[in-house]
């Protein structure tokens, strides 16, 4: 679940604001020389600590529920661990302030030294607000990486689609060329068939003429045969011109 929609982050921000205010009050309490004011601030610190502890405890309960099935809430084990780490840090800060406020009720040297020790311990604790900011940056980096990978995948898919479109067009062009060649072959085959038919017809005519010439030559005299041959030759030339030049 994105951080902008996760209730955890709203509650966490409210608690963080309370912790920041608690630390500000603690600094004011620490630097106040007036005993009455210091006593009043001590009560305020203790009351605020109890309130924050209750809120963090409730947040821990919610984290425990989410840890049973993180995927159901759209998070993972790393996020669960980060949330636990933040609540632990918040608990530590509140406990440190609470101990310092309780120890500061007295005015002896021992209590003053204890307060100073608590202050040093508080200063050594990790700043949960900085941790939160780092986590946000990490989440943002992850989101940017996922978005970048998604854009890259979409670009690859788009390129593949374009290549498939080009391949489809090439196949269609090849298919068109093949169809044209097929049609040309059919036309050539038809022309060859027609030419063969004409050759057969001409051959039959020549055979018929030759038979007639043979019959006439047997019946005619030598002179007549010569005239007949010339006439047939002229007829043959005429038929040849008629067949091949018309």
């Amino acid at each position: 679940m994105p951080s902008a929609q996760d209730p955890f982050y709203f509650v966490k921000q409210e608690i963080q604001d309370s912790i920041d205010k608690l630390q500000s009050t603690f600094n004011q309490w620490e630097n106040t020389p007036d005993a009455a004011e210091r006593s009043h601030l001590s009560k305020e610190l203790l009351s605020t600590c109890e309130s924050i502890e209750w809120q963090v405890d409730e947040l821990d309960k919610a984290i425990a529920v989410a840890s049973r099935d993180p995927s159901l809430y759209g998070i993972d084990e790393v996020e669960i661990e980060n949330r636990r780490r933040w609540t632990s840090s918040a608990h530590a800060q509140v406990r440190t302030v609470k101990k310092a406020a309780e120890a500061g009720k007295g005015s002896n040297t021992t209590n003053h030294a204890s307060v100073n020790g608590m202050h040093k311990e508080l200063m050594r604790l990790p700043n949960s607000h900085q941790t939160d900011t780092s986590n946000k940056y990490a989440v943002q980096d992850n989101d940017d990486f996922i978005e970048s990978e998604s854009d890259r995948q979409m670009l690859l898919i788009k390129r593949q689609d374009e290549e498939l479109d080009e391949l489809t067009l090439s196949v269609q062009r090849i298919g068109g060329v093949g169809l044209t060649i097929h049609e040309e072959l059919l036309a050539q085959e038809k022309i060859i068939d027609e030419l063969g038919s004409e050759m057969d017809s001409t051959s039959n005519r020549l055979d018929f003429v030759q038979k007639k010439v043979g019959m006439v030559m047997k019946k005619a005299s030598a002179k007549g045969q010569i005239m007949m041959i010339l006439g047939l030759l002229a007829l043959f030339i005429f038929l040849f011109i008629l067949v091949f030049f018309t």
Side-chain angles (χ1 to χ4, degrees), residues 26 29-30 38 96 99-122 124:
F26 176 77
W29 169 83
E30 189 179 31
R38 190 181 182 86
T96 301
K99 289 179 181 179
E102 290 175 345
K105 288 182 179 180
S107 59
N108 53 48
T109 305
T110 303
N111 287 338
H112 183 69
S114 177
V115 170
N116 289 336
M118 294 295 180
H119 177 72
K120 292 179 180 179
E121 182 180 352
L122 181 62
R124 287 196 300 268

Side-chain angles (χ1 to χ4, degrees), residues 160-180:
Q160 290 176 353
D161 290 340
E162 292 176 353
E163 292 176 356
L164 288 175
D165 292 338
E166 292 179 357
L167 181 60
T168 301
L169 292 176
S170 298
V171 172
Q172 290 177 350
R173 286 195 295 268
I174 293 174
V177 172
L179 181 61
T180 302

Side-chain angles (χ1 to χ4, degrees), residues 28-189:
Q28 182 181 356
W29 169 83
E30 189 179 31
N31 297 321
T32 299
D34 184 78
E37 179 67 18
R38 190 181 182 86
S39 176
H40 173 73
L41 291 176
S42 295
K43 293 179 180 180
E44 182 179 346
L45 286 173
L46 293 175
S47 176
T48 304
C49 286
E50 291 179 359
S51 176
I52 294 175
E53 283 181 335
W54 178 83
Q55 295 179 61
V56 177
D57 287 339
E58 292 299 316
L59 200 57
D60 276 330
K61 293 178 182 179
I63 294 173
V65 173
S67 65
R68 298 172 186 171
D69 188 5
S71 60
L72 181 63
Y73 300 93
I75 56 179
D76 53 20
E77 293 295 339
V78 175
E79 178 65 17
I80 291 292
E81 184 61 28
N82 289 336
R83 295 183 181 189
R84 286 173 175 167
R85 190 180 300 111
W86 184 87
T87 56
S88 297
S89 175
H91 272 304
Q93 292 182 75
V94 174
R95 282 196 301 267
T96 301
V97 173
K98 186 176 181 180
K99 289 179 181 179
E102 290 175 345
K105 288 182 179 180
S107 59
N108 53 48
T109 305
T110 303
N111 287 338
H112 183 69
S114 177
V115 170
N116 289 336
M118 294 295 180
H119 177 72
K120 292 179 180 179
E121 182 180 352
L122 181 62
M123 292 299 101
R124 287 196 300 268
L125 287 172
N127 190 321
S128 57
H129 182 67
Q130 293 178 351
T131 303
D132 182 33
T133 303
S134 299
N135 290 336
K136 288 183 178 179
Y137 287 153
V139 171
Q140 182 64 37
D141 291 340
N142 290 335
D143 292 341
D144 292 341
F145 175 75
I146 293 173
E147 183 177 358
S148 176
E149 285 296 314
S150 177
D151 292 340
R152 190 173 68 86
Q153 292 295 330
M154 291 298 295
L155 181 60
L156 289 176
I157 293 174
K158 183 178 179 181
R159 289 179 179 175
Q160 290 176 353
D161 290 340
E162 292 176 353
E163 292 176 356
L164 288 175
D165 292 338
E166 292 179 357
L167 181 60
T168 301
L169 292 176
S170 298
V171 172
Q172 290 177 350
R173 286 195 295 268
I174 293 174
V177 172
L179 181 61
T180 302
I181 294 174
H182 177 69
E183 292 176 352
E184 288 291 332
L185 290 175
L186 291 177
Q188 293 292 334
E189 183 179 1

